């Protein structure tokens, strides 16, 4: 006989219906206003102002490519047609000009884990903002960066931002299942990696059911992957198999010291530590940092050699308030040379974009629910932050 738990089951059913309804509403709006792809395009003059290009070089490339049958994006303005080039169009111009890509300089992907044991410190917002920001930054387009986000947080927040239709309900082909089932590279590409609204950025989704997998991880690994250390599964079964496909791989986990977090640390080249200035959050971040050596020791005790090259701190949810400035100063004392100069400020744009399952980079100003100026400001901050992270990574890779 089914026991009575009050309204638990009724509320669960209504919540499920609400999730599907919200997702369907956003998707219908995007279809209605033809906003299913990344909105931003470039004029020919805008492309000419990008790094390593000029007006003459772009004009010559366009002429030569069109003579060969290439078609660029265009927009009708009155009776005339103007170039409206996509990111891929710009990348193809660089390719035609024989400008080297990032993969020509660095063969292996660089794995980044935005991590903190404190919840609500902008881990997911940082992850998805960087994924979009690095790909779409005008100053980085010549690198043609290929980016994957591996979502291991059962709440599936990164999946929601990047591919919201894969974040609702029970999803079978998740990153956690890919790890555990030891699938081939082709299976990973065809079944587990999902494209996003941003060309060149993919996601491996998460699902609420992954929480049960994480809680019994050691036993499941022993049963399904005998002889494999519990904390090496992510690197062995996913990252190494997709190494040829991506330049940057981001990992997002929940704020828990569990098997997924240990796998992420073991697989990472760089840890990024968001450090909110509010006193309670700041103290919790300091506690996490004191425990990080313990986590690395646990990984080493499994016979795994971590690949970690740096732990970079940055301020998240930052304002100009006096106590925030003081916390920033304290953070510099802790991180010293490992403190990032750029911050992710507390801005309305970052908070409101979640209403349409967007980042401040992918949000279309014509359908953004808030102020266009607020969105523009947040996008500029996100681009500055993305460039600062990219430059720091280049410094780390050049010195290691």
């Amino acid at each position: 006989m089914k026991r009575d738990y009050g309204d638990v089951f009724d509320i669960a059913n209504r919540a499920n219906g609400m999730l599907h309804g919200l997702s369907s509403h956003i998707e219908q709006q995007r279809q209605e206003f033809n906003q299913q792809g990344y909105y931003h395009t470039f004029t020919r003059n805008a492309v000419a102002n990008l790094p390593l290009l000029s007006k003459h070089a772009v004009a010559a490339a366009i002429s030569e490519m069109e003579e060969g049958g290439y078609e660029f994006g265009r927009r009708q303005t009155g009776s005339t047609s103007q170039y409206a080039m996509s990111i891929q169009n710009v990348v193809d111009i660089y390719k035609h000009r024989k400008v080297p890509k990032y993969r020509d300089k660095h063969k292996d992907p660089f794995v980044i884990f935005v991590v903190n044991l404190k919840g609500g410190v902008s881990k997911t917002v940082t992850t998805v903002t960087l994924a979009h920001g690095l790909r779409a930054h005008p100053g980085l387009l010549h690198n043609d960066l290929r980016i994957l986000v591996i979502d291991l947080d059962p709440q599936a927040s990164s999946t929601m931002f990047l591919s919201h239709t894969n974040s609702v309900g029970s999803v079978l082909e998740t990153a956690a299942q890919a790890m555990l089932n030891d699938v081939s590279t082709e299976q990973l590409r065809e079944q587990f990696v999902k494209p996003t609204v941003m060309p060149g950025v993919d996601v491996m989704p998460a699902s609420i059911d992954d929480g049960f997998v994480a809680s019994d991880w050691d036993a499941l690994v022993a049963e399904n992957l005998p002889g494999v250390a519990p904390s090496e599964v992510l690197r062995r079964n996913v990252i190494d198999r997709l190494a040829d496909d991506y330049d940057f791989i981001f990992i997002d986990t929940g704020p828990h010291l569990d098997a997924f977090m240990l796998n992420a640390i073991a697989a990472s080249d760089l840890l990024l530590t968001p450090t909110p200035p509010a006193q309670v959050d700041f103290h919790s971040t300091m506690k996490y940092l004191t425990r990080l050596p313990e986590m690395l020791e646990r990984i080493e005790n499994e016979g795994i050699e971590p690949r970690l090259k740096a732990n970079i701190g940055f301020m998240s949810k930052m304002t100009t308030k006096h106590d925030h400035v003081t916390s920033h100063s304290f953070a510099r004392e802790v991180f010293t040379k490992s403190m990032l100069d750029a911050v992710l400020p507390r801005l309305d744009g970052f908070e409101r974009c979640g209403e349409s399952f967007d980042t401040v980079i992918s949000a279309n100003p014509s359908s953004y629910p808030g102020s266009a100026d607020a969105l523009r400001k947040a996008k500029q901050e996100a681009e500055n932050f993305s460039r600062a992270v990219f430059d720091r990574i280049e410094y780390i890779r050049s010195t290691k």
Side-chain angles (χ1 to χ4, degrees):
M1 180 177 178
K2 189 175 182 179
R3 294 185 60 183
D4 181 11
Y5 294 103
D7 294 338
V8 169
F9 291 101
D10 288 340
I11 291 172
N13 288 332
R14 289 195 293 270
N16 185 55
M18 179 65 72
L19 281 172
H20 284 278
L22 290 170
S23 182
S24 297
H25 175 68
I26 294 296
E27 192 61 27
Q28 288 170 5
Q29 282 189 321
R30 290 181 174 177
Q31 291 177 3
E32 180 181 357
F33 298 106
N34 194 27
Q35 294 178 350
Q36 294 172 282
Y38 180 50
Y39 77 95
H40 186 67
T41 57
F42 298 81
T43 64
R44 186 161 72 172
N45 286 339
V47 176
N49 289 323
L50 294 176
L52 307 176
L53 295 175
S54 66
K55 187 173 292 187
H56 175 74
V58 170
I62 290 174
S63 176
E64 293 164 3
M65 292 168 72
E66 287 184 331
E67 286 178 6
Y70 189 95
E71 294 185 7
F72 289 94
R74 287 182 173 272
R75 178 186 293 117
Q76 196 70 27
T77 305
S79 59
T80 62
S81 175
Q82 296 182 337
Y83 286 104
M85 299 188 198
S86 66
I87 285 179
Q88 189 59 53
N89 291 155
V90 177
V91 166
D92 290 340
I93 287 176
Y94 277 118
K95 181 179 179 180
H96 183 80
R97 295 284 303 165
K98 295 182 171 53
V99 175
K101 300 177 185 291
Y102 193 79
R103 70 203 72 162
D104 298 322
K105 181 179 179 182
H106 299 292
K107 181 180 181 295
D108 297 322
F110 199 79
V111 183
I112 304 159
F113 183 25
V114 182
V115 56
N116 192 324
L117 280 172
K118 178 71 175 69
V121 299
S122 298
K123 295 188 301 297
T124 295
V125 168
T126 300
T127 299
V128 297
T129 298
L130 280 173
H132 279 177
L134 289 172
R135 173 60 180 172
H137 194 293
L140 299 175
L141 285 178
H142 62 281
N143 290 294
D144 188 19
L145 297 175
R146 304 162 301 168
I147 296 168
L148 173 67
V149 176
I150 299 175
D151 194 354
L152 288 172
D153 183 352
Q155 294 299 320
S157 296
S158 284
T159 307
M160 180 196 74
F161 276 108
L162 298 173
S163 181
H164 69 93
T165 55
N166 289 299
S167 68
V168 178
S170 182
V171 180
L172 298 178
E173 294 165 336
T174 67
Q177 291 298 332
M179 292 163 62
L180 200 58
N181 286 291
D182 199 14
V183 299
S184 68
T185 299
E186 284 306 310
Q187 284 179 292
L188 288 174
R189 289 171 179 159
E190 294 174 7
Q191 300 176 25
F192 292 86
V193 173
K194 308 296 182 182
T196 74
V197 69
M198 179 73 72
V201 177
D202 296 332
V203 64
M204 293 187 71
S207 168
I208 193 68
D209 297 331
D210 293 341
F212 299 103
V213 175
S215 65
D216 202 23
W217 184 253
D218 286 5
L220 289 169
V221 171
E223 178 184 348
N224 293 281
L225 303 167
V228 178
S231 297
E232 74 171 330
V233 182
L234 175 60
R235 168 64 77 167
R236 174 186 182 273
N237 287 2
V238 176
I239 291 175
D240 285 348
R241 291 176 184 176
L242 294 174
D244 292 337
D245 296 351
Y246 298 100
D247 302 301
F248 290 107
I249 296 177
F250 289 90
I251 308 170
D252 189 24
T253 71
H256 317 290
L257 179 47
D258 60 10
F260 289 166
M261 179 175 284
L262 292 174
N263 265 270
I265 292 173
S268 294
D269 296 295
L270 174 67
L271 303 183
L272 278 176
T273 303
T275 308
Q279 190 173 36
V280 172
D281 292 340
F282 187 85
H283 283 194
S284 295
T285 301
M286 295 301 105
K287 290 180 180 178
Y288 151 71
L289 291 170
T290 64
R291 297 197 66 185
L292 190 52
E294 169 196 333
M295 300 180 211
L296 289 167
E297 187 176 344
R298 287 178 61 174
I299 293 167
E300 290 174 345
N301 288 340
E302 293 183 32
I304 303 167
E305 184 176 348
R307 308 182 184 206
L308 198 59
K309 298 173 179 64
N311 178 21
I312 304 298
F314 67 93
M315 300 304 292
S316 62
K317 297 188 172 183
M318 185 72 179
T319 72
T320 57
K321 290 169 57 179
H322 175 72
D323 58 328
H324 285 201
V325 174
T326 301
S327 292
H328 196 176
S329 178
F330 289 158
R332 285 195 186 100
E333 288 186 34
V334 172
F335 284 101
T336 61
K337 62 181 175 54
S338 294
M339 190 73 186
L340 196 69
D341 292 332
V343 305
L344 268 187
R346 189 184 193 100
L347 294 174
D348 181 66
F350 288 106
E351 297 177 5
R352 298 209 65 176
C353 279
E355 297 176 22
S356 58
F357 304 139
D358 282 306
T359 68
V360 296
I361 304 294
S362 66
N364 192 322
S366 64
S367 59
Y368 173 68
S371 160
D373 287 339
L375 177 60
R376 190 179 304 111
K377 184 177 180 181
K379 182 177 180 181
Q380 184 60 57
E381 292 289 350
E383 288 181 344
N384 292 341
F385 181 76
S386 300
R387 185 62 199 241
V389 170
F390 178 84
D391 290 345
R392 182 61 70 95
I393 289 171
E394 286 302 273
Y395 173 76
I396 292 169
R397 299 191 88 164
S398 69
T399 56
K400 299 297 181 182

